[in-house]
Amino acid sequence: RNPFLRVHLLHAMGGSQSQSQDGFREVKVVVAGMPQAGAKALVRRMTGGVFIERPKPLHLDWQPLRRKFDKLMLQLLPVGSQQGLWAENLCHAERFVFVVDGSEAVDNEGAFRRAFDKAINDCQLP
């Protein structure tokens, strides 16, 4: 199943943007989400052009995505639902993407809210 994903984007996290030699602006993006929402699969699809429903774990590293029409070089870090990685990596990102599987009912909105709040609060941004 290819889930319909809702992605929430927060602007102005930590870090700083840099300009590459070819005029593309580099933007670091941490991609996290609820369990089984497809955050890592989404990064694999965007950077590798393939969708694998149950992929093997990605090596945790920045994955480049060149967006010619925006003159952006996105560096995507797929931390998925591994909440222990959120706080240590959010402070290095300019953007934060939080993925929720929109085809599934969010029966427990409290769990979603706690996970999202934890991601924001644990990074200790001002």
Side-chain angles (χ1 to χ4, degrees):
R1 153 186 117 191
N2 189 348
F4 168 76
L5 301 172
R6 285 184 288 197
V7 179
H8 298 275
L9 181 62
L10 292 179
H11 298 281
M13 299 296 291
S16 61
Q17 297 176 353
S18 62
Q19 193 86 10
S20 67
Q21 290 179 341
D22 60 1
F24 279 66
R25 191 178 69 211
E26 182 177 279
V27 179
K28 289 189 174 184
V29 180
V30 169
V31 183
M34 295 294 287
Q36 303 300 312
K40 291 183 267 186
L42 183 62
V43 170
R44 188 181 305 258
R45 173 69 174 113
M46 289 188 299
T47 61
V50 296
F51 179 80
I52 302 171
E53 188 169 338
R54 301 245 184 251
K56 293 178 182 172
L58 281 173
H59 175 69
L60 186 62
D61 200 4
W62 297 97
Q63 307 289 321
L65 176 63
R66 187 179 178 96
R67 294 178 46 101
K68 294 179 186 177
F69 51 90
D70 290 326
K71 289 225 170 244
L72 289 175
M73 175 59 81
L74 298 178
Q75 295 290 339
L76 306 173
L77 186 66
V79 297
S81 61
Q82 300 172 40
Q83 294 182 20
L85 298 173
W86 294 359
E88 68 186 75
N89 290 293
L90 280 176
C91 61
H92 302 291
E94 288 88 39
R95 303 288 188 265
F96 173 54
V97 174
F98 194 85
V99 181
V100 177
D101 184 344
S103 68
E104 297 290 329
V106 180
D107 294 329
N108 187 350
E109 185 178 324
F112 170 79
R113 184 177 308 279
R114 283 190 303 277
F116 189 79
D117 287 346
K118 179 175 177 42
I120 300 303
N121 294 330
D122 284 358
C123 66
Q124 299 178 351
L125 293 173

